[in-house]
Amino acid sequence: MKVPFLDLKAQYESIKDEIDAAIQDVIERTAFAGGPFVERFESEFASFCQSSFAIGCGSGTSALYLALHGLGIGQGDEVITAANTFIATAEAISACGATPVFVDIDEQTYTLSPALFEEAITPKTKAVIPVHLYGQMAEMDSILEIARAHDLYVIEDACQAHGAEYNGRRAGSIGDAGCFSFYPGKNLGAYGEAGAVVTNNAELADVMRRYRDHGQDKKYYHSMIGWNDRMDGLQGAILSVKLKHLSAWNEARRNNAQLYNTLLSDVDCIVTPVEAEAAKHVYHIYAVRVRDREMLMKALAEKDICCGIHYPIPLHLQEAYQCLGYSTNSLPVTERCVNEQLSLPMYAELSRAQIETVCEQIKAFEEVAV
Ligand SMILES: *Cc1c(COP(=O)(O)O)cnc(C)c1O
């Protein structure tokens, strides 16, 4: 049985009529760049995130930049974050002219270690970006407490965590700003590129809203030097349709993760993901740990089961960030995890039979390998 890593077509088939009508509506009303469909989605997404404001923009990378820039972070500032993330988290810091400072993670949840975050604070530190990796929120209570004590901003990288919770509070709503990506493969994915920032800070919302639209208050009246970072009308309309289904899709992902956990519980070579006590994990990615990752991935590929690696090289060891001067072993937990993680197929439409097939093949691999 073929098990693709992702199946965006299956999701489209399940909501085809709604999506097609929404796209037609945008075309009829020619509301292509920003406009009413984006505004409607912003208001729906803000309330979904238990936040006062949502500002739609071009991508998750842009959302991170908008939040950092909007909070005045720039040249000479340091921003602390994790290295086991997509490079966009650090790129946004660099794009502002600030310097990313990478700290190690908790080995259970793969998210920023609050204690190491505190140790890394210097007089130049202005903000911290906890990454809610794979759909599980970082330890926000401790991170927020440390950040407040040192007068630092907290920007949540919630690009993988739409609808995730920490002690009942939604991802994005706890820090000064929460940044989301609607890249097609995310839990809430557009049909192209899109992103958003949520915040409870009215002043920050206003700055970001103007900045992403050339700094204008009304057309051709520019109160600040901004940029073009608007969301497409088509993406806004599509995201409004899909947002209605997000909670059900996240529940399906959680059920799929539960089934994987159960079926893999007696497989010795596999460490399944841990959901922290305070967290509601939404499993954007279901990553297991396994020593013989390359071998297992190859064995599964031979059976038409597609896996992924998120991410093979941590940011502090990427060629692009050699300028920061990190070396191997500077983040031992991150490096250990990054070398062993394998992402199994995970999406709402995955069938029970598909998950059973994946687990049977992993068991068959273990028997041969032992
Ligand atoms: C996807 C992602 C981003 C970037 O989002 P884009 O929409 O692709 O720009 C940033 N951070 C993390 C953790 C992501 O997974």
Side-chain angles (χ1 to χ4, degrees), residues 348-368:
E349 298 76 16
L350 206 56
S351 71
R352 184 178 189 94
Q354 284 175 310
I355 295 171
E356 284 168 352
T357 301
V358 176
C359 296
E360 275 158 25
Q361 293 304 331
I362 292 174
K363 284 178 189 167
F365 168 83
E366 190 191 37
E367 273 158 30
V368 176

Side-chain angles (χ1 to χ4, degrees), residues 64 85-86 88-89 129-133 155-161 177-179:
L64 288 158
T85 174
F86 183 54
T89 315
I129 308 186
V131 179
H132 303 326
L133 195 77
I155 298 166
E156 298 174 56
D157 184 336
C159 287
Q160 303 188 355
C179 303

Side-chain angles (χ1 to χ4, degrees), residues 80-84 101-107 109-120 128 143 314 316 326 329-338:
I80 295 172
T81 192
N84 59 327
V101 173
F102 300 117
V103 303
D104 219 339
I105 53 168
D106 172 76
E107 190 146 7
T109 62
Y110 311 133
T111 60
L112 200 69
S113 153
L116 296 175
F117 153 47
E118 185 158 35
E119 273 177 31
V128 59
I143 291 171
H316 68 294
Y326 291 89
N329 290 328
S330 39
L331 303 177
V333 181
T334 296
E335 290 168 40
R336 198 155 60 231
C337 295
V338 149

Side-chain angles (χ1 to χ4, degrees), residues 279-331:
K280 182 178 173 190
H281 199 320
V282 293
Y283 295 99
H284 169 56
I285 283 172
Y286 182 89
V288 297
R289 280 177 70 176
V290 53
R291 287 255 158 69
D292 241 343
R293 171 174 72 187
E294 307 298 332
M295 296 282 286
L296 175 58
M297 196 170 173
K298 192 159 157 274
L300 293 175
E302 276 164 13
K303 302 288 176 189
D304 269 340
I305 297 166
C306 292
C307 299
I309 294 175
H310 301 88
Y311 297 89
I313 301 178
L315 300 185
H316 68 294
L317 300 179
Q318 291 281 356
E319 190 182 343
Y321 276 118
Q322 284 318 288
C323 52
L324 298 177
Y326 291 89
S327 55
T328 309
N329 290 328
S330 39
L331 303 177

